[in-house]
Amino acid sequence: MPKPVILAVDDDISVLEAVIQDLRRQYGANYRILRAGSGQAALDTCTQLQQRGDAVALFLSDQRMPGMTGVEFLEKAQDLYPDAKRALLTAYADTEAAIKAINTARINYYLTKPWDPPEEKLYPVLDDLLENWKEDYKPPFEGLRVIGPRWSLNDYQVRDFLSRNQIPYVWLDPEKSDEAVQLLERFRLDDHKLPAVLFPDGTSLVQPSQTQLAERIGLRTQAQKEFYDLVIVGGGPAGLAAAVYGASEGLKALVIEPEAPGGQAGSSSRIENYLGFPSGLSGADLARRAYAQASRFGAEFLTQRATGIRSESNYHFIKLADGREVSCHVALIAVGVNYRKLDIPGLDQFTGAGVYYGAAQAEAISCRNEDVYIVGGANSAGQAAMHFSKYAHKVTMLVRSSLEKSMSKYLIDQIAATSNIEVRTGTEIKEVQGNGRLECIKVGSPKGEIVCSASSLFIFIGAAPQTDWLPETVMRDPNGFVLSGPDLQIESKMPKIWKESRSPYLLETSTPGIFVAGDVRHGSVKRAASAVGEGSISVQFMHQYLARF
């Protein structure tokens, strides 16, 4: 396959030549760098590339060109290559037009001229755009194949695990795909024992456990060391932020995460109010960036589940699901929360067979042209509704009260402007029914109950902390959220547990040297940005704790 294309457009030959030289120096090894002296010439080039089936990764166009401005070209190029990233080169005086173009032409970024030095002003921006493009780009596939029926919990769990760890794969349903049947015969696999994961080297895994799958796709399941300065339990935004700041400041850091970096936020289809990303970013993209950043500083990641923690002589020992232990000076609890389960008749039997907790992005394409129901009225539910609206025939949000109580205004506006999203307030699920998979739901409202045909139901209600594995010495509130800092002072048990002469540090739990950050903390703000903030500042208090020894 030919390399993907980066197309630079400028009517000023000297400027165009300078752009081409900078692009070739940085990206020539992996991309074909093409040029055009006008918007129309660039469109002609795009038409030829499209006819040959070539991919375009990035358009980089000057704004001030005769006959067709850069914004006009990028708008027309979007019709030919809707997935290509679009960047505008502008003079300082054109900044206002460039900002408007972010919305009108869906431009991803604008750069002001001159861009010297490119190492600081050009390459970092284009690196991000190209990395984002590569996430969605699908060259001829040579990777993993997952064979399994759609309405199977095990099949869903395998696909969700691969998706959240950003491992490319092709999913084949043997009930709909002749290729799946042929592959099962070629690999001599029993179609009654699915899912099966087929690897490029000709090997396969049948009904794999999460640990088996993690090992095969290259995730670390055993710690490299027995002792770390800092062990972080949970790889959501708070844990990732702590890993970045801890590792960058010289702490040997280990992140223990049983599923995938990003936590609950990692499954968000679009976060548009995160500082520094005017066009928004997906939770998976945020997790990918943070994981790469923490790894670059030397943080280690472990795909395991923590099952216990004990403290002895100023050291902490975290027990893992495989029976091993790792020890540390300081620990951070950042396990986040899970969505609460609905307690209604018939629900459990359809989990993974039409009923899903969270965004379940592995299911989005499967819902193409179907009617999807979403339960919940917070930001996560709104982000999921917007995501599924791109695939589903109709998305219906079932909300007990109103969106205004728990959803950001920008999301409410987007939902109102999306024609295939319906919001039903004052409603709740009463019952689910089906034969082997979800087929219909009973919805109750003040006007009465109705039965609706439904193949997919996604649930986003409340926050349930998973803290049963913690010892009694780590105090929690009645709902299971971990108490820390000043919140500990109001507990009558505090004097009995806390043996230190000092007061607990902010974000320090009732066990000295064990800290908490993110959604699992009592009183936290359930937003990705606040979790990142808590994870970051927790490292400061860890240093204060360590300085005492």
Side-chain angles (χ1 to χ4, degrees):
M1 289 290 292
K3 298 176 184 177
V5 170
I6 296 176
L7 178 58
V9 189
D10 200 311
D11 67 309
D12 187 322
I13 296 176
S14 61
V15 174
L16 183 59
E17 185 61 31
V19 172
I20 291 296
Q21 288 181 2
D22 285 340
L23 292 176
R24 283 179 176 165
R25 185 166 63 248
Q26 182 74 1
Y27 305 111
N30 298 312
Y31 297 89
R32 281 188 295 158
I33 313 300
L34 302 184
R35 72 182 77 193
S38 69
Q40 186 57 54
L43 288 176
D44 293 341
T45 299
C46 288
T47 301
Q48 295 170 8
L49 292 170
Q50 192 179 54
Q51 290 172 350
R52 293 200 300 260
D54 293 345
V56 175
L58 172 69
F59 294 113
L60 179 62
S61 176
D62 183 52
Q63 166 62 1
R64 292 192 179 186
M65 296 186 296
M68 185 184 299
T69 68
V71 170
E72 291 170 340
F73 160 69
L74 292 175
E75 285 181 314
K76 294 179 179 180
Q78 186 177 7
D79 295 333
L80 295 172
Y81 283 97
D83 296 326
K85 298 301 178 182
R86 295 171 293 282
L88 192 69
L89 275 175
T90 70
Y92 180 76
D94 296 326
T95 300
E96 184 176 348
I99 293 173
K100 290 181 179 178
I102 290 177
N103 292 322
T104 59
R106 305 301 294 174
I107 289 173
N108 301 104
Y109 214 94
Y110 73 89
L111 296 155
T112 55
K113 297 187 290 186
W115 59 87
D116 289 329
E119 289 78 10
E120 295 180 11
K121 297 183 178 181
L122 180 67
Y123 297 152
V125 171
L126 299 190
D127 285 347
D128 275 350
L129 292 178
L130 292 170
E131 281 297 316
N132 289 340
W133 177 82
K134 285 194 292 186
E135 282 188 8
D136 298 324
Y137 174 56
K138 296 181 179 179
F141 190 77
E142 298 178 355
L144 275 65
R145 288 175 169 81
V146 178
I147 301 178
R150 177 182 176 185
W151 310 112
S152 160
L153 177 59
N154 289 340
D155 177 73
Y156 159 70
Q157 289 174 335
V158 166
R159 290 187 288 117
D160 188 56
F161 182 77
L162 292 173
S163 296
R164 295 190 63 189
N165 280 282
Q166 303 182 40
I167 303 299
Y169 69 92
V170 166
W171 171 57
L172 302 170
D173 187 340
E175 297 177 1
K176 298 180 179 180
S177 169
D178 293 336
E179 182 183 356
V181 175
Q182 294 168 3
L183 286 170
L184 289 174
E185 292 176 354
R186 186 192 309 170
F187 280 76
R188 297 181 181 180
L189 299 175
D190 187 345
D191 59 1
H192 296 294
K193 294 181 179 180
L194 296 176
V197 182
L198 312 183
F199 296 89
D201 63 1
T203 61
S204 62
L205 284 176
V206 177
Q207 297 180 341
S209 67
Q210 192 165 290
T211 300
Q212 290 175 319
L213 192 55
E215 290 174 344
R216 281 303 309 270
I217 63 177
L219 300 180
R220 190 178 300 279
T221 59
Q222 295 184 19
Q224 290 182 303
K225 307 179 182 69
E226 293 184 356
F227 176 81
Y228 295 83
D229 297 319
L230 165 62
V231 170
I232 301 162
V233 184
L240 290 169
V244 168
Y245 279 84
S248 68
E249 294 174 10
L251 297 179
K252 290 184 293 183
L254 172 70
V255 181
I256 300 171
E257 167 57 48
E259 295 178 356
Q264 192 180 94
S267 63
S268 295
S269 54
R270 203 72 185 165
I271 303 172
E272 296 199 48
N273 58 353
Y274 195 87
L275 183 66
F277 293 88
S279 298
L281 78 167
S282 68
D285 190 20
L286 177 63
R288 175 184 60 80
R289 292 165 182 260
Y291 174 84
Q293 193 173 16
S295 299
R296 183 168 67 87
F297 287 126
E300 181 183 337
F301 286 81
L302 187 64
T303 304
Q304 274 280 3
R305 185 176 301 278
T307 59
I309 184 169
R310 61 185 178 87
S311 302
E312 183 179 322
S313 301
N314 296 320
Y315 292 92
H316 308 288
F317 300 82
I318 290 84
K319 185 176 181 181
L320 306 175
D322 63 1
R324 294 181 173 87
E325 280 188 339
V326 290
S327 58
C328 57
H329 281 308
V330 289
L332 177 69
I333 301 167
V335 293
V337 295
N338 291 339
Y339 293 109
R340 283 207 320 267
K341 291 193 173 183
L342 278 176
D343 185 17
I344 60 174
L347 194 68
D348 287 345
Q349 63 178 307
F350 299 122
T351 300
V355 175
Y356 309 95
Y357 289 90
Q361 293 194 40
E363 290 300 306
I365 297 178
S366 301
C367 297
R368 190 180 298 277
N369 300 323
E370 296 181 357
D371 290 346
V372 171
Y373 287 81
I374 291 176
V375 179
N379 274 15
S380 54
Q383 290 161 354
M386 291 301 300
H387 180 61
F388 281 107
S389 69
K390 301 174 185 176
Y391 303 93
H393 171 259
K394 182 179 181 181
V395 177
T396 303
M397 298 187 69
L398 305 175
V399 185
R400 277 190 173 184
S401 55
S402 67
L403 297 182
E404 287 74 13
K405 285 190 174 182
S406 53
M407 188 178 291
S408 296
K409 181 65 165 52
Y410 81 90
L411 267 175
I412 296 175
D413 292 342
Q414 288 181 357
I415 289 170
T418 305
S419 60
N420 65 335
I421 298 180
E422 178 187 358
V423 180
R424 298 184 188 175
T425 57
T427 59
E428 58 183 338
I429 297 283
K430 294 293 186 181
E431 188 178 350
V432 296
Q433 299 173 351
N435 182 17
R437 66 179 180 87
L438 179 69
E439 294 177 346
C440 61
I441 60 176
K442 184 181 291 186
V443 179
S445 71
K447 297 180 181 180
E449 295 183 353
I450 58 172
V451 176
C452 308
S453 297
S455 58
S456 297
L457 175 68
F458 297 87
I459 300 169
F460 300 82
I461 57 167
Q466 304 298 308
T467 54
D468 293 343
W469 61 279
L470 293 173
E472 292 183 357
T473 52
V474 176
M475 294 176 60
R476 284 147 279 174
D477 68 15
N479 294 316
F481 292 92
V482 178
L483 296 166
S484 63
D487 291 326
L488 290 166
Q489 307 297 334
I490 62 174
E491 293 290 329
S492 59
K493 295 180 181 179
M494 179 64 189
K496 300 178 183 178
I497 295 178
W498 189 260
K499 306 298 183 183
E500 302 291 304
S501 58
R502 62 176 176 85
S503 297
Y505 296 118
L506 188 67
L507 303 182
E508 189 173 22
T509 71
S510 53
T511 299
I514 298 180
F515 296 79
V516 63
D519 289 359
V520 73
R521 184 182 66 82
H522 169 81
S524 66
V525 178
K526 305 299 187 288
R527 290 289 186 270
S530 63
V532 168
E534 289 187 15
S536 303
I537 65 172
S538 69
V539 176
Q540 173 188 348
F541 301 113
M542 293 174 190
H543 282 303
Q544 293 180 27
Y545 171 82
L546 292 171
R548 298 168 56 88
F549 300 99

